[in-house]
């Protein structure tokens, strides 16, 4: 093996356009801190968005990838008692290529769920007060073609470099978001 003396820098992964958009969206959400309500984003191909809305040139970063996505936040989400009911009512026009959802959750060890009160509010309070609880934020992104990715940030390790990524972190949310994209 021949060595010409050059050393390359640290490993630089190459992400799909969906993963790149999800990472950018998660960082945008993270910049607003913790204790946020769910945040929903439509994902559209940046080149298609700018073709339909040329006045957005200069406002929307075009990036280096012609297949890249722009996340458009859907503000004023209706108030609902459950995220599942909100997701069940979503429908997207064909111009929307995908969807991303950022939501905060509490994670506790399995034994913490034993002997919870029957009252949902009291059960939530008991879980929130558990000494081993972990606060996490999930960002789940799904495209119409079925590609998906999930990102997970922990409050106690709140750093862009410590965000976990995988396709099976939140399968229920992936399925619910994919269903909202079906015709």
């Amino acid at each position: 093996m021949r060595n010409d003396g050059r050393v390359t820098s640290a490993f630089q992964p190459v992400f799909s356009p969906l993963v790149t958009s999800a990472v950018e969206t998660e960082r945008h959400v993270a910049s607003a801190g913790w204790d946020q309500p769910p945040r929903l984003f439509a994902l559209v191909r940046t080149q298609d968005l700018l073709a339909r809305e040329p006045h957005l040139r200069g406002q929307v970063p075009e990036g280096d990838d012609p297949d890249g996505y722009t996340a458009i936040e859907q503000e004023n989400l209706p108030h609902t008692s459950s995220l599942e009911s909100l997701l069940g009512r979503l429908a997207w026009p064909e111009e929307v290529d995908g969807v991303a959802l950022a939501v905060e959750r509490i994670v506790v060890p399995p034994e913490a769920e034993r002997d919870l009160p029957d009252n949902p509010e009291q059960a939530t309070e008991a879980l929130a007060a558990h000494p081993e609880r972990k606060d996490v934020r999930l960002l789940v992104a799904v495209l119409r073609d079925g590609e998906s990715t999930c990102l997970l940030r922990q409050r106690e390790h709140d750093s862009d470099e410590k965000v976990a990524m995988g396709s099976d972190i939140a399968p229920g949310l992936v399925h619910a978001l994919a269903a909202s994209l079906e015709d």
Side-chain angles (χ1 to χ4, degrees):
M1 191 157 88
R2 191 174 155 182
N3 184 349
D4 65 5
R6 287 182 282 173
V7 177
T8 60
S9 64
F11 173 70
Q12 296 290 324
V14 177
F15 296 127
S16 73
L18 174 64
V19 172
T20 299
S21 177
V23 167
E24 291 169 356
T25 304
E26 192 282 332
R27 287 179 177 171
H28 167 74
V29 171
S31 71
W34 286 89
D35 302 317
Q36 298 181 51
R39 293 176 68 179
L40 185 66
F41 301 84
L43 301 177
V44 296
R45 286 218 184 267
T46 302
Q47 66 183 4
D48 294 345
L49 173 65
L50 294 175
R52 284 191 304 271
E53 307 285 341
H55 66 278
L56 293 177
R57 257 186 225 290
Q59 297 176 35
V60 173
E62 295 185 53
D64 298 331
D65 188 347
D67 293 324
Y69 295 96
T70 295
I72 303 168
E73 187 158 8
Q74 307 301 293
E75 296 177 351
N76 302 319
L77 290 178
H79 293 284
T80 179
S81 60
S82 84
L83 185 59
E84 291 77 15
S85 68
L86 171 67
L87 296 178
R89 294 180 291 179
L90 290 180
W92 300 95
E94 66 182 34
E95 295 84 14
V96 172
D97 298 293
V99 61
L101 174 71
V103 62
E104 294 180 12
R105 290 287 182 248
I106 296 171
V107 178
V108 294
E111 61 272 9
E113 296 183 25
R114 291 188 200 119
D115 302 321
L116 285 175
D118 291 333
N119 179 303
E121 286 182 26
Q122 291 174 340
T124 300
E125 288 173 13
L127 291 173
H130 193 279
E132 294 181 59
R133 81 176 249 181
K134 305 286 184 200
D135 295 333
V136 299
R137 179 182 305 112
L138 289 165
L139 184 118
V140 178
V142 179
L143 294 178
R144 285 189 189 275
D145 69 7
E147 182 184 355
S148 65
T149 192
C150 303
L151 288 88
L152 183 136
R153 180 183 294 253
Q154 295 183 40
R155 187 187 295 243
E156 71 179 351
H157 302 290
D158 191 359
S159 162
D160 290 348
E161 295 78 31
K162 294 186 178 179
V163 173
M165 185 183 316
S167 59
D168 60 351
I169 294 174
L173 285 177
V174 169
H175 177 74
L177 291 173
S180 75
L181 293 165
E182 294 174 358
D183 295 332

